[in-house]
Amino acid sequence: MPRLRINHRTTYTYSQPMAFGEHRLMVRPRDSHDLRLVSAELRIVPTPTLRWIHDPFGNSVTIAEFSEMSTELSFESEIVIERYPDDTTSLEIEAYAQSLPFNYLDTELPDLAPAIARHDSDPFGTVDLWALGFMAPGGPTDTLSLLIRMTESIKNDFTYLAREAVGVQTAVETLNLRSGTCRDYALLMMEAVRSLGIAAHFVTGYLYDPALDTGNGGGSMDSGAATLGAGATHAWCEVYLPGLGWVSFDPTNGRYGSEDLIRIGIARAPEQAQPLSGLLNGDPSTALGMDVQVSVTREDG
């Protein structure tokens, strides 16, 4: 099974010493049948007091509390994992859900209902109409085919624009702009499938791209072969399909399935799955910059 090392470092610099409020990090994955956490190390400067909690979705969240002032604030996470990718192509959706529209079983619906509820208002039905455009006219629509076509459409018909600003565009904004980041695309697809009565949630994590893995014979970030979203934190969505369970769809790259996607956290909404968030006690104009570096490399043996 592939073993991957993920190093994620975020550094903030300031022109004068600053005091820092509480910060929350979501950088540690959960062990599951498709992922095993081999090791995890967290280095933070200045040194804080740490504690860990599980959020409402069961994600592991690190809470850092600072007492020391500094002109630099640095977070570095390094984890090693083993991947056991699911081969969803060899499985089948339950017969009752193979075509749209369908209804989830009564035993599952209460737990899936929050993942079906819409995140943003859509007063003019903009997202609804876009999603209905993937339905076959006058008859049932193959569920998996629709999801794949929707994933590929976002990849092919929209312009990917990296954005460091905090926040996520609404699905309507992304449709109107025809551009966005991976988190914008994830929310758009979530809202579109939810409009069709399908459960979806947001995923934050990382993306392994062999083209960026110099230790594995790959190229560099300037090679032009990099998958979109690699070299940074990544976001995608998972859709609940009876018989398959939660299946990954990465609209940024037009792919489905868990291969090369490293899930760290899941949530009903993007703002609930931020890799790093926190408070600054001081004048924000003293900020000199932020640097984020992410590397995902394969380790053989």
Side-chain angles (χ1 to χ4, degrees):
M1 71 293 297
R3 177 173 286 200
L4 300 174
R5 180 178 297 273
I6 301 102
N7 184 279
H8 177 187
R9 178 167 182 166
T10 303
T11 303
Y12 303 90
T13 53
Y14 304 91
S15 61
Q16 63 185 46
M18 302 295 290
F20 308 108
E22 179 182 282
H23 280 66
R24 298 168 68 93
L25 296 89
M26 190 180 294
V27 293
R28 182 188 179 101
R30 287 179 294 178
D31 280 310
S32 185
H33 63 276
D34 61 347
L35 184 152
R36 186 175 79 87
L37 180 62
V38 177
S39 65
E41 186 175 357
L42 186 60
R43 296 178 286 272
I44 304 176
V45 179
T47 302
T49 300
L50 297 179
R51 59 189 178 95
W52 290 264
I53 64 169
H54 287 110
D55 70 5
F57 307 100
N59 301 311
S60 178
V61 178
T62 306
I63 300 176
E65 297 179 340
F66 297 87
S67 58
E68 181 182 346
M69 299 179 67
S70 176
T71 57
E72 181 176 289
L73 178 61
S74 174
F75 301 88
E76 184 175 9
S77 164
E78 186 162 81
I79 60 174
V80 177
I81 64 167
E82 289 180 348
R83 287 295 318 277
Y84 304 81
D86 288 335
D87 184 12
T88 54
T89 59
S90 66
L91 304 174
E92 288 190 358
I93 300 174
E94 294 284 356
Y96 72 88
Q98 289 180 2
S99 297
L100 287 165
F102 71 85
N103 295 313
Y104 290 109
L105 298 178
D106 291 342
T107 54
E108 295 180 325
L109 187 56
D111 299 305
L112 294 173
I116 301 174
R118 300 288 287 274
H119 179 265
D120 298 315
S121 62
D122 185 12
F124 301 107
T126 305
V127 177
D128 302 63
L129 289 172
W130 184 75
L132 287 172
F134 294 93
M135 296 285 286
T141 301
D142 183 80
T143 302
L144 186 57
S145 294
L146 177 143
L147 294 170
I148 292 173
R149 285 188 285 111
M150 186 179 291
T151 305
E152 293 174 342
S153 175
I154 296 174
K155 160 66 176 174
N156 295 329
D157 300 339
F158 292 68
T159 302
Y160 178 81
L161 296 175
R163 185 179 71 248
E164 291 186 356
V166 176
V168 180
Q169 296 171 177
T170 67
V172 172
E173 288 174 328
T174 301
L175 276 176
N176 289 336
L177 293 170
R178 293 281 160 167
S179 65
T181 66
C182 57
R183 56 188 185 270
D184 302 323
Y185 292 166
L187 179 59
L188 170 59
M189 184 161 181
M190 288 165 55
E191 290 290 271
V193 300
R194 286 171 172 176
S195 75
L196 300 174
I198 305 175
H201 57 210
F202 185 87
V203 187
T204 183
Y206 305 102
L207 174 63
Y208 173 66
D209 182 0
L212 299 184
D213 188 354
T214 56
N216 193 43
S220 67
M221 292 189 65
D222 297 325
S223 66
T227 303
L228 293 175
T233 56
H234 193 48
W236 61 98
C237 68
E238 289 182 345
V239 175
Y240 188 79
L241 299 174
L244 298 184
W246 290 103
V247 180
S248 296
F249 290 85
D250 179 8
T252 301
N253 294 293
R255 302 174 181 173
Y256 90 98
S258 61
E259 185 177 5
D260 296 334
L261 294 172
I262 303 157
R263 180 182 61 252
I264 297 294
I266 61 171
R268 175 179 50 81
E271 58 268 21
Q272 298 170 311
Q274 297 184 58
L276 174 61
S277 61
L279 300 173
L280 176 68
N281 298 325
D283 183 358
S285 67
T286 63
L288 298 178
M290 176 183 72
D291 179 62
V292 180
Q293 298 181 18
V294 175
S295 66
V296 183
T297 55
R298 180 166 178 161
E299 296 185 341
D300 294 325

